[in-house]
Amino acid sequence: RRDEANKAAITSREALALLDKLGAQERDEAQISLVASDALRAAGDSAAAAAALARAEAAFRARDARISDEAIRQSYRAVAHNAELLARVERA
């Protein structure tokens, strides 16, 4: 199990590095960063997990701020990974 967590953490770091190289990926950055946070936490790297969660939140908030229609914004916030992200941020 520890081996799997470490492999997932390595893959997560690679994914985050690729996002850094490509620049902001508005559509998927929050979800990728949220999953990376899970993998890094499972591998015992709580500092990197917290940084990935903060990155996910920043990506979410940037996109959320550009949605002017309240109904669409609420729909965006209700998407499963966005709702999970908001719940985690509130718990942190």
Side-chain angles (χ1 to χ4, degrees):
R1 177 148 167 100
R2 178 54 71 184
D3 251 6
E4 291 174 6
N6 287 335
K7 287 178 185 176
I10 289 167
T11 301
S12 294
R13 286 186 181 93
E14 291 170 352
L16 293 172
L18 184 58
L19 285 175
D20 288 339
K21 181 178 178 180
L22 296 173
Q25 299 296 308
E26 183 176 293
R27 181 173 176 171
D28 300 317
E29 186 170 4
Q31 187 173 9
I32 291 167
S33 299
L34 182 62
V35 171
S37 177
D38 290 341
L40 293 162
R41 181 165 282 107
D45 192 344
S46 58
L53 183 62
R55 179 183 185 147
E57 180 185 14
F60 169 84
R61 299 264 183 228
R63 190 166 190 195
D64 184 70
R66 289 191 299 276
I67 302 172
S68 59
D69 183 283
E70 186 60 29
I72 294 172
R73 182 181 299 114
Q74 291 305 317
S75 177
Y76 173 68
R77 291 175 181 175
V79 172
H81 65 268
N82 292 337
E84 174 64 23
L85 171 61
L86 290 173
R88 286 193 202 178
V89 167
E90 287 178 15
R91 287 191 305 259

